[in-house]
Amino acid sequence: MSEENQGFMGAVWETIKTIFWALIIAGIFRTLFFQPFWIPSSSMKDTLLVGDFLFVNKMAYGYSYASCPNIKIARFGVDIDAKDICGFLDGDNSRVWGGEPERGDVVVFRHPVTHQDYIKRLIGLPGDTVQVTGGVVQINGEAVTVEDGGTFEEIKEAQGPEGRYPRCYNDPVGEGGVCVKERLIETLPNGVTHSTLNIADGQDLDDTPVFTVPEGQYFFMGDNRDNSTDSRVAQTSFGVGMVPYENLIGRADRIMFSSAGRSMLFFWTWRGDRFFKGIE
């Protein structure tokens, strides 16, 4: 082999090694510290909008099998579940260097049945009772404080890669029209204040039975209360139900980037006012 060919093959090998180690380092960083998360649905409006991009703080609650990523590349038939990588941490509902989440945290967790990653707000702690009556959350028999927050308005148009249309309090609204939702300010017992949205009164999930949160599990709800599949729905491939401690992935603290379009590359749809925005 000529010196020229040897030099070329050497450069190729060095490139392969560089890419390999870069992927290893990125995988370790993603597993131990921060996981990227792109908001795909409207269940957390107006706290989180479709197209918000954030990093999930995995150090907040320690580590479990759920800290390892799911690796899914449908085009190449790759479907590796977190349990396939970190299954040795599964089974006892505990965590390494575990930290307790606080009521009101916005948390990314692994769905107990489908193993998909969800993001919701923590409402009920172990031992709590939770009920929704007339759209108002009751925790341990006491209604949370709710105040008028005005309205939330957006354009009735397809949103995000999935192209879903928002539901509106003032429906029917034609495409391109102003979609209005009632906005409320909710204060939880520990003083955490955040906004929620109401699309319509008298919805199925506006009145629920009393849920008792078991030890080692948590009760989650979306801020867009009439458009969220959460712990109010029994645990199935559709409903979330109670979420075990070991299924928590991390806490969402800050939006890093946001795009209102169907791709992050559509720079004309970027929401500059949401860059580095804190999550309340």
Side-chain angles (χ1 to χ4, degrees):
M1 181 181 294
S2 68
E3 291 185 5
E4 182 177 346
N5 285 338
Q6 287 180 335
F8 173 75
M9 293 305 296
V12 170
W13 178 239
E14 286 301 319
T15 300
I16 292 173
K17 288 196 295 184
T18 299
I19 294 173
F20 172 79
W21 286 113
L23 291 174
I24 292 296
I25 293 170
I28 293 173
F29 183 86
R30 187 181 189 277
T31 299
L32 294 180
F33 303 111
F34 297 97
Q35 175 176 316
F37 193 88
W38 195 19
I39 303 300
S41 73
S42 61
S43 69
M44 281 296 291
K45 286 180 180 177
D46 65 340
T47 303
L48 297 172
L49 304 182
V50 176
D52 282 349
F53 179 82
L54 49 89
F55 282 101
V56 179
N57 180 1
K58 289 190 169 184
M59 297 176 285
Y61 309 135
Y63 304 95
S64 71
Y65 88 91
S67 301
C68 283
N70 289 328
I71 303 175
K72 298 180 184 292
I73 310 175
R75 180 180 299 178
F76 300 105
V78 176
D79 187 359
I80 303 174
D81 189 81
K83 287 188 178 181
D84 298 330
I85 304 171
C86 294
F88 63 94
L89 294 174
D90 182 34
D92 58 1
N93 199 28
S94 64
R95 308 180 71 86
V96 178
W97 301 319
E100 294 295 329
E102 297 182 6
R103 197 190 313 275
D105 284 357
V106 176
V107 179
V108 173
F109 59 87
R110 187 141 297 154
H111 190 288
V113 177
T114 68
H115 302 155
Q116 293 180 311
D117 293 348
Y118 276 46
I119 185 165
K120 307 288 180 183
R121 189 176 298 276
L122 176 54
I123 299 296
L125 301 174
D128 283 345
T129 61
V130 181
Q131 183 178 25
V132 182
T133 304
V136 178
V137 177
Q138 319 276 327
I139 299 176
N140 297 323
E142 297 289 335
V144 301
T145 302
V146 178
E147 301 175 1
D148 180 19
T151 59
F152 171 75
E153 298 182 0
E154 58 186 340
I155 301 300
K156 185 72 171 279
E157 60 185 359
Q159 298 181 348
E162 298 177 359
R164 297 181 183 179
Y165 285 83
R167 294 171 58 199
C168 315
Y169 194 88
N170 58 328
D171 270 332
V173 177
E175 183 160 4
V178 177
C179 177
V180 178
K181 297 176 178 64
E182 182 183 19
R183 188 172 183 265
L184 302 167
I185 305 301
E186 181 176 274
T187 302
L188 300 175
N190 61 342
V192 173
T193 297
H194 61 97
S195 65
T196 66
L197 298 183
N198 180 44
I199 299 172
D201 298 322
Q203 298 294 290
D204 290 343
L205 296 179
D206 282 350
D207 292 281
T208 72
V210 176
F211 300 98
T212 299
V213 185
E215 287 301 315
Q217 301 194 43
Y218 298 89
F219 188 99
F220 289 92
M221 295 177 67
D223 289 348
N224 191 2
R225 293 288 163 79
D226 293 333
N227 201 44
S228 174
T229 300
D230 48 42
S231 294
R232 292 172 291 176
V233 181
Q235 190 179 101
T236 62
S237 59
F238 176 74
V240 173
M242 304 295 171
V243 178
Y245 181 47
E246 67 178 351
N247 282 48
L248 307 185
I249 295 174
R251 185 181 65 220
D253 294 326
R254 188 170 298 275
I255 299 164
M256 305 304 294
F257 174 87
S258 185
S259 172
R262 302 195 68 171
S263 168
M264 287 187 181
L265 300 179
F266 296 172
F267 63 87
W268 56 91
T269 66
W270 291 354
R271 304 182 183 108
D273 62 331
R274 296 185 69 79
F275 287 20
F276 309 110
K277 177 181 174 64
I279 297 173
E280 298 179 352

